[in-house]
Amino acid sequence: MMPGPVALIVDDHPLFCDALALTLRTVAGFAGVEAVHRLDAALARLDAGLRPDAVVLDLDLPDVDGMDGILRLRAALDAPVMVVSSMADDRLVAAALAAGAAGFVPKHSGREVFRAAFQAMARGDRWLPEGYTPPAPGAATAGQEAVARLAQLTRQQARILELICQGMLNKQIAFDLSIAETTVKAHVTAIMRKLGVQSRTQAVLIAQQARFSSLMPEG
């Protein structure tokens, strides 16, 4: 067992991963740091028993659309997810927070910013980029509202919704996940209740709004 807190970095830029790992060890107090380059690799490590104290996530990954990375990681573990991204406009930050991110640090930030961000996270506080202006009350976009709804799903429910989006029926989902069809039906009912919809089609539309609207520039 590794002494002290452990961080998992999910970023597909090896040089940045190396620099960030060094920063997390030297200024943020992490005793161990592991890095993977895809979301599916991160989820596989969690399935294999890794229990990091924090996850550092880049939003621009080859196997991630929109806020999927945050949503799926938050459903998979209790540890906070800190977004570190080269994209840091206010709309994107708001969507990440709605998805459950513990904070948002622009990639160009200095070491002291990373130190302060992870100290805030350890206190249970959110860290926001300098100059960030939150949306006015009631001004959330449809994509941000969809992300907030999806953040309520468990990991299994998120998996099932993903398969629904692929057009699978309950029987096919049950076979794919090796669970009973009645269990799938119960999850689908829970998914629709959490999303506030009445049909599978409406649930798919919510997922599509979260996936695409949160990263589309305002025009």
Side-chain angles (χ1 to χ4, degrees):
M1 182 74 67
M2 189 172 295
V6 175
L8 174 64
I9 299 172
V10 190
D11 191 295
D12 65 339
H13 295 85
L15 289 177
F16 179 78
C17 284
D18 290 345
L20 182 55
L22 179 61
T23 298
L24 293 179
R25 290 191 182 98
T26 57
V27 308
F30 285 92
V33 180
E34 182 171 333
V36 294
H37 304 313
R38 295 175 63 93
L39 179 65
D40 56 7
L43 295 173
R45 290 294 294 119
L46 298 178
D47 286 340
L50 178 67
R51 289 294 175 265
D53 299 281
V55 177
V56 183
L57 175 70
D58 183 14
L59 296 178
D60 188 19
L61 295 171
D63 59 340
V64 170
D65 290 314
M67 299 295 119
D68 275 359
I70 303 172
L71 294 168
R72 294 173 69 183
L73 287 168
R74 292 291 295 133
L77 78 169
D78 294 328
V81 177
M82 180 73 76
V83 171
V84 177
S85 175
S86 57
M87 305 175 290
D89 63 89
D90 287 350
R91 189 161 177 252
L92 187 66
V93 175
L97 297 177
F104 197 111
V105 182
K107 277 191 173 181
H108 61 262
S109 301
R111 291 160 65 96
E112 289 307 312
V113 173
F114 279 95
R115 183 203 301 272
F118 281 93
Q119 287 175 341
M121 187 183 68
R123 296 192 303 268
D125 298 331
R126 277 183 167 175
W127 180 265
L128 304 175
E130 183 178 359
Y132 168 68
T133 302
T141 67
Q144 290 165 4
E145 292 176 355
V147 166
R149 293 188 197 181
L150 290 174
Q152 303 175 66
L153 302 183
T154 66
R155 185 179 184 186
Q156 185 77 318
Q157 289 166 356
R159 282 178 172 174
I160 289 172
L161 179 57
E162 184 177 354
L163 295 177
I164 291 173
C165 290
Q166 295 175 19
M168 287 192 181
L169 303 175
N170 287 353
K171 183 179 297 185
Q172 295 169 310
I173 294 172
F175 178 81
D176 192 75
L177 298 181
S178 299
I179 58 178
E181 187 174 352
T182 54
T183 302
V184 175
K185 290 179 180 178
H187 278 307
V188 171
T189 299
I191 290 167
M192 291 194 293
R193 184 184 71 251
K194 289 181 178 180
L195 298 185
V197 299
Q198 302 298 318
S199 71
R200 296 163 75 99
T201 299
Q202 290 175 327
V204 170
L205 290 175
I206 291 289
Q208 291 174 340
Q209 283 182 325
R211 181 166 293 173
F212 300 116
S213 298
S214 59
L215 290 183
M216 289 174 61
E218 294 179 287

